[in-house]
Amino acid sequence: MPHHGASSGQGHLRAGWEQRLERSLPAPKLGLLWMGLGLALVLALFDSTVLWVPARAYPLPSQGHSVKFSAVAPQLQNAFGWRNLTCPACKVLFTALNYGLKEPNVARVGSVAIKMCKMLNIAPLNVCQSAVHLFEDDVVDVWTRSVLSPSEACGLLLGSSCGHWDIFSTWNISLPSVPKPPPKPPSPPAPGAPVSRVLFLTDLHWDHDYLEGTDPNCADPLCCRRGSGWPPNSRTGAGYWGEYSKCDLPLRTLESLLKGLGPAGPFEMVYWTGDIPAHDVWQQSRQDQLRALNTITDLVWKFLGPVPVYPAVGNHESTPVNGFPPPFIKGNQSSQWLYEAMAKAWEPWLPADALHTLRIGGFYALTPRPGLRLISLNMNFCSRENFWLLINSTDPAGQLQWLVDELQAAENRGDKVHIIGHIPPGHCLKSWSWNYYKIIARYENTLAGQFFGHTHVDEFEIFYDEETLSRPLAVAFLGPSATTFINLNPGYRVYQIDGNYPGSSHVVLDHETYILNLTQANAPGGTPSWKRLYRARETYGLPDAMPASWHNLVYRMRADEQLFQTFWFLYHKGHPPSEPCGTPCRLATLCAQLSARADSPALCRHLMPNGSLPDAHSLWSRPLLC
């Protein structure tokens, strides 16, 4: 078991966080995205259905509900005659709607949601029905707590001339009055200094119902499984080890991954950033999610044994998917059922104080080795798809203020910090993302590494100083997924970290990505062979793995088409789309690497011709493969 340190003063900080949490009641009601449960579920499903289309030659970050809704709104306007709706009539309509929905009939609006889901061709009818029934109770509860004002609803429907639509208010985290120390980049480790290897696992997405030979291109959102049917004779079925399609993984492939880790090790510790269940989000029960949690945790324990594992909570761990109520939501609708199960499953890896905050909010901090603090964030509290945040999106669970307390305490002790989480900060709600960006800038001397997953591809996000947006000061690494979803090889990451010795910087020195080539593994007589795909510094010609080197790589790729195509190949774990990535695609991909702060096109201005600001819709309206 690892050594878990506890510093003096930590109890005071934790007590202060708990006091803030106890005082954290719902803020004044926000304007909502949802115009009734029907539209709420359509939009919830619409967020999910972008996951179900075949991968294209576009990068994956998805930014902004307004962009997503813009694709749905015209169809709704046509269907319900809203194009002829005047602004005054719209406000009268929604004023009446707000009064009429004081006691909503869940069954009635659920029926409307199913019809809208089918009308918009979001999914097959059976999927629409199952998803609506799964989401309806929670979404109705959220909706009744916080309803769109008539002005907000009509601004959303008819445009800004009829009202202002801003569903998530702006808020700011308080930083301590302690002055920020002058920036001090870490010194390179001395020749021969110890180097630690950290295994990084993310987005395993085990499909209990995966079945070899079934149709990988079925009509459902997730295929290669019981119920997918069989492909026509002209097409092959799902492979034994996985498939290049909208499919997740059988347990045997995950077991093969963990069993074959030997050549990539030995590992000092493991960072595991969530998303354990499959993408069958329309039919998952709590029992299904707990089965996935316990089965995969047992599998990791079986093959990694005494190596300490530090998990983070993914957006797929809950059901309904993305549904993570803040701690002020009590009773059966709270996330207590999930956090308690995680605490029980992960108790061998986590100390008591980490388990305490895990049970409350799904996040924790611990000391895995002297001089290093590890912080695991619950990034669902920043998620654009977490509908519970429509009640109150201001620093849910007080997590960011708690993060500041942890970082300040680490700075006071002279410790370094690693942050792990599932959803990358550049994919978060704008206020959350901008506050996080500010926190990273303040504690740049303390932060030694950031590690996220969620996008399923191999990329990174760079942080810059807030004054000029030109000095790279931190980088978040986004590791590749284990799952194939969609059209990818299975993969995992190994980070080389400045080792465990007095005065270590604990920074990332390099990283390696390993994959399973499905074409070879699924061939007649083939067996799974996990091989290293590349080493970052060697492949990209990096002098080190510091933020400036990744910044320079982006601009080198802008000028060097061959270098970018290498990145594009590795970005997709050795299985890129057949569609080529032309200039607009390349600029959008590179912009994503510069964008650790959501909805901030100014970060990409130097990439664009003549320094022009990029168009937000073209750069941030691509689907996520999460």
Side-chain angles (χ1 to χ4, degrees):
M1 292 299 293
H3 168 73
H4 301 291
S7 63
S8 61
Q10 193 63 36
H12 171 73
L13 290 175
R14 195 171 307 285
W17 168 73
E18 287 179 339
Q19 289 169 6
R20 286 195 299 272
L21 182 59
E22 289 168 3
R23 295 195 301 266
S24 176
L25 297 175
K29 292 184 177 180
L30 300 171
L32 296 185
L33 174 61
W34 325 90
M35 272 154 271
L37 176 62
L39 184 53
L41 289 167
V42 168
L43 290 177
L45 286 172
F46 186 74
D47 273 336
S48 298
T49 53
V50 297
L51 313 178
W52 306 337
V53 296
R56 299 181 180 178
Y58 294 101
L60 308 177
S62 178
Q63 312 259 357
H65 274 302
S66 59
V67 171
K68 294 175 182 176
F69 184 78
S70 66
V72 182
Q75 299 174 65
L76 296 175
Q77 288 174 323
N78 285 332
F80 295 101
W82 288 344
R83 289 198 182 279
N84 297 321
L85 186 64
T86 65
C87 184
C90 178
K91 291 181 178 180
V92 170
L93 171 64
F94 278 96
T95 298
L97 181 64
N98 282 351
Y99 279 108
L101 295 173
K102 297 296 184 183
E103 297 180 4
N105 184 310
V106 175
R108 182 170 65 247
V109 291
S111 175
V112 172
I114 292 170
K115 292 176 182 177
M116 293 173 73
C117 177
K118 182 60 179 174
M119 176 193 70
L120 296 173
N121 294 318
I122 288 176
L125 179 60
N126 67 303
V127 173
C128 291
Q129 291 170 332
S130 296
V132 166
H133 294 322
L134 181 61
F135 277 79
E136 61 187 359
D137 289 334
D138 283 355
V139 174
V140 162
D141 187 66
V142 171
W143 176 39
T144 55
R145 291 171 184 255
S146 182
V147 180
L148 269 173
S149 73
S151 179
E152 289 170 324
C154 296
L156 173 59
L157 276 177
L158 302 179
S160 58
S161 62
C162 190
H164 177 64
W165 178 55
D166 182 11
I167 63 170
F168 296 108
S169 57
T170 301
W171 47 272
N172 290 295
I173 286 296
S174 297
L175 294 176
S177 58
V178 180
K180 176 183 175 179
K184 184 181 179 182
S187 301
V195 175
S196 299
R197 295 178 70 82
V198 176
L199 173 64
F200 181 84
L201 300 172
T202 193
D203 296 275
L204 274 63
H205 289 294
W206 165 48
D207 188 355
H208 175 268
D209 291 330
Y210 187 97
L211 184 62
E212 179 189 12
T214 52
D215 190 356
N217 296 297
C218 68
D220 287 346
L222 184 67
C223 299
C224 303
R225 59 203 319 265
R226 295 179 179 87
S228 296
W230 304 100
N233 293 334
S234 59
R235 290 193 280 110
T236 58
Y240 184 78
W241 297 104
E243 188 58 54
Y244 295 124
S245 190
K246 50 180 181 177
C247 306
D248 282 320
L249 291 178
L251 191 65
R252 56 180 168 269
T253 305
L254 296 173
E255 186 169 3
S256 166
L257 185 161
L258 293 166
K259 187 177 181 180
L261 286 172
F267 308 113
E268 180 179 319
M269 51 192 172
V270 181
Y271 293 166
W272 176 20
T273 62
D275 268 17
I276 302 170
H279 285 89
D280 56 334
V281 299
W282 68 96
Q283 59 180 21
Q284 292 170 336
S285 68
R286 289 184 176 182
Q287 289 73 23
D288 293 332
Q289 307 307 81
L290 296 180
R291 176 181 62 183
L293 168 68
N294 291 316
T295 299
I296 301 303
T297 297
D298 289 346
L299 195 67
V300 170
W301 178 261
K302 173 183 176 181
F303 287 101
L304 289 168
V307 180
V309 178
Y310 303 121
V313 182
N315 64 299
H316 277 266
E317 265 68 275
S318 186
T319 184
V321 66
N322 303 312
F324 287 83
F328 64 74
I329 300 295
K330 305 295 183 181
N332 188 54
Q333 288 180 307
S334 78
S335 293
Q336 203 66 29
W337 65 274
L338 179 61
Y339 298 152
E340 287 289 347
M342 288 175 168
K344 182 178 179 180
W346 299 340
E347 187 174 12
W349 297 321
L350 305 180
D353 59 342
L355 292 170
H356 176 68
T357 55
L358 175 64
R359 286 187 171 98
I360 295 172
F363 53 89
Y364 62 86
L366 53 82
T367 300
R369 67 191 194 192
L372 177 65
R373 193 75 170 157
L374 173 67
I375 297 175
S376 177
L377 294 178
N378 186 349
M379 300 298 286
N380 294 293
F381 290 143
C382 84
S383 173
R384 298 171 183 269
E385 280 70 48
N386 184 0
F387 49 86
W388 286 99
L389 300 187
L390 296 168
I391 300 172
N392 180 7
S393 66
T394 300
D395 192 17
Q399 181 178 218
L400 282 185
Q401 201 65 58
W402 170 85
L403 172 63
V404 169
D405 291 345
E406 284 284 345
L407 291 171
Q408 186 60 55
E411 180 181 278
N412 295 344
R413 295 190 302 266
D415 288 350
K416 300 300 182 183
V417 171
H418 285 176
I419 294 176
I420 63 173
H422 184 67
I423 300 172
H427 295 68
C428 292
L429 289 167
K430 182 175 180 178
S431 282
W432 201 103
S433 179
W434 283 53
N435 274 284
Y436 182 85
Y437 203 89
K438 177 175 69 173
I439 293 168
I440 297 304
R442 165 59 184 85
Y443 294 100
E444 61 174 295
N445 289 353
T446 300
L447 262 294
Q450 300 176 72
F451 310 90
F452 298 92
H454 188 61
T455 69
H456 293 196
V457 291
D458 184 343
E459 53 183 335
F460 53 90
E461 292 180 351
I462 302 173
F463 295 74
Y464 295 89
D465 69 293
E466 290 194 295
E467 293 75 22
T468 69
L469 296 181
S470 62
R471 180 177 65 86
L473 55 83
V475 60
F477 295 100
L478 281 53
S481 65
T483 186
T484 56
F485 194 92
I486 299 172
N487 291 328
L488 300 168
N489 282 310
Y492 66 89
R493 166 71 52 79
V494 177
Y495 291 99
Q496 288 83 57
I497 307 288
D498 196 7
N500 186 5
Y501 62 91
S504 172
S505 68
H506 305 282
V507 298
V508 174
L509 304 175
D510 202 355
H511 66 65
E512 305 168 351
T513 293
Y514 292 76
I515 65 161
L516 174 65
N517 186 311
L518 280 181
T519 302
Q520 297 173 2
N522 286 330
T527 57
S529 178
W530 296 81
K531 296 181 179 179
R532 187 175 63 221
L533 181 63
Y534 78 104
R535 284 195 183 102
R537 288 181 58 187
E538 175 185 65
T539 299
Y540 295 129
L542 304 177
D544 52 44
M546 300 302 291
S549 295
W550 296 100
H551 166 88
N552 291 336
L553 174 63
V554 171
Y555 286 91
R556 286 166 52 209
M557 289 192 289
R558 182 185 64 172
D560 187 335
E561 171 69 18
Q562 185 175 356
L563 179 62
F564 173 78
Q565 292 304 329
T566 297
F567 176 80
W568 186 245
F569 177 80
L570 301 174
Y571 177 95
H572 292 95
K573 293 182 287 180
H575 193 259
S578 56
E579 179 185 352
C581 182
T583 298
C585 166
R586 184 167 88 236
L587 290 176
T589 304
L590 296 178
C591 178
Q593 314 311 300
L594 302 179
S595 301
R597 191 171 72 180
D599 300 332
S600 188
L603 291 167
C604 300
R605 65 186 184 277
H606 297 303
L607 277 175
M608 301 298 128
N610 303 318
S612 59
L613 291 180
D615 174 68
H617 185 277
S618 64
L619 289 181
W620 284 295
S621 60
R622 283 107 41 203
L624 264 173
L625 304 186
C626 51

